[in-house]
Amino acid sequence: MKNYVILISGRGSNMEAIIDAQVPGRCAAVISNRPAAAGLAWAAARGVPTAVVDHKASASREAFDAALAAEIDRHAPDLVVLAGFMRVLGESFVRRYEGRLINIHPSLLPAFPGLHTHAAALAAGVRIHGATVHFVTPALDSGPIIIQAAVPVLPGDSPDTLAARVLAQEHVIYPRAVDWFLQGRLRLDQGRVVLTDEPMGAGALIVPAG
Ligand code: NHR
Ligand code: GAR
């Protein structure tokens, strides 16, 4: 059976969605860079091993990346899942896990990379927003796209109401992507996403306005 590790920094609702989805693999560990991350307690209560690699204990980004990689490698995971993980990772870290490192970003990439995406979407006046699961590459939020979910922006939305609408769809698409990978149906091939045995459009979830 394949195994995976999940990296979090906070609440961990995407982590919960993946573990609750009973994807065909074992969650070998949940690792946080923040000791106070709420998701750690949830994982521990489920019997999932947890670890903290505090970025504040490292003198540099390179040292943090090395400490994080050492913790990950103890579990020899087939897949590393960033789920609300808030530290930018360096090139050598990303290369080490190339093709087995995925992230969920709360926008329809390539729109609104980086932080504060929901406020940026409202400021831009877009009518459609969403979330993207992608393979991680050294360039931030720029890796090959696996699946996206689109939601409407509604009149009166605040960053918080929009974030909640997007988050509900994150919880649908992220377990789906992890499931595909662990089934051996999703891979990165020369920088391209290859998904086998799915009908056309499997990577697109569109949630219409009510
Ligand atoms: N690393 C690489 N190389 N490539 C990506 O695509 C990455 C990555 C690390 C994290 C998640 C990402 C997101 O989905 C992610 C993708 C953190 C920041 C950030 O600026 C930006 C994007 C993402 C995660 N972090 C600040 C930093 O200085 C710290 C912010 C904080 O601690 O609150 O690292 O959006
Ligand atoms: C999610 O919306 C995720 O897409 C986003 O943070 C939230 C984490 O929620 N990720 C980023 O912004 C990465 N920079 P969660 O901890 O409940 O999964």
Side-chain angles (χ1 to χ4, degrees), residues 10-122:
R11 177 180 53 189
S13 71
N14 277 292
M15 168 203 74
E16 290 187 26
I18 291 163
I19 292 173
D20 279 346
Q22 305 199 324
V23 293
R26 188 175 61 90
C27 184
V30 169
I31 304 170
S32 173
N33 66 302
R34 290 203 186 125
L40 288 170
W42 187 93
R46 289 299 181 96
V48 177
T50 62
V52 173
V53 181
D54 188 344
H55 61 278
K56 289 181 182 156
S58 291
S60 65
R61 286 189 180 265
E62 293 70 28
F64 170 68
D65 284 4
L68 185 59
E71 180 59 39
I72 292 168
D73 290 350
R74 290 181 51 220
H75 307 284
D78 298 288
L79 176 65
V80 178
V81 178
L82 305 184
F85 182 74
M86 297 307 290
R87 298 301 295 178
V88 175
L89 298 162
E91 171 149 16
S92 63
F93 180 99
V94 172
R95 293 273 179 244
R96 179 180 192 86
Y97 302 105
E98 194 164 24
R100 55 192 177 109
L101 177 60
I102 63 177
N103 177 49
I104 190 158
H105 179 77
S107 79
L108 290 175
L109 289 172
F112 314 122
L115 303 176
H116 313 298
T117 60
H118 307 299
L122 289 174

Side-chain angles (χ1 to χ4, degrees), residues 169-186:
Q169 302 312 315
E170 294 183 42
H171 298 162
V172 177
I173 63 174
Y174 214 0
R176 194 173 296 181
V178 171
D179 184 83
W180 286 335
F181 189 95
L182 294 172
Q183 283 188 42
R185 293 168 53 202
L186 168 66

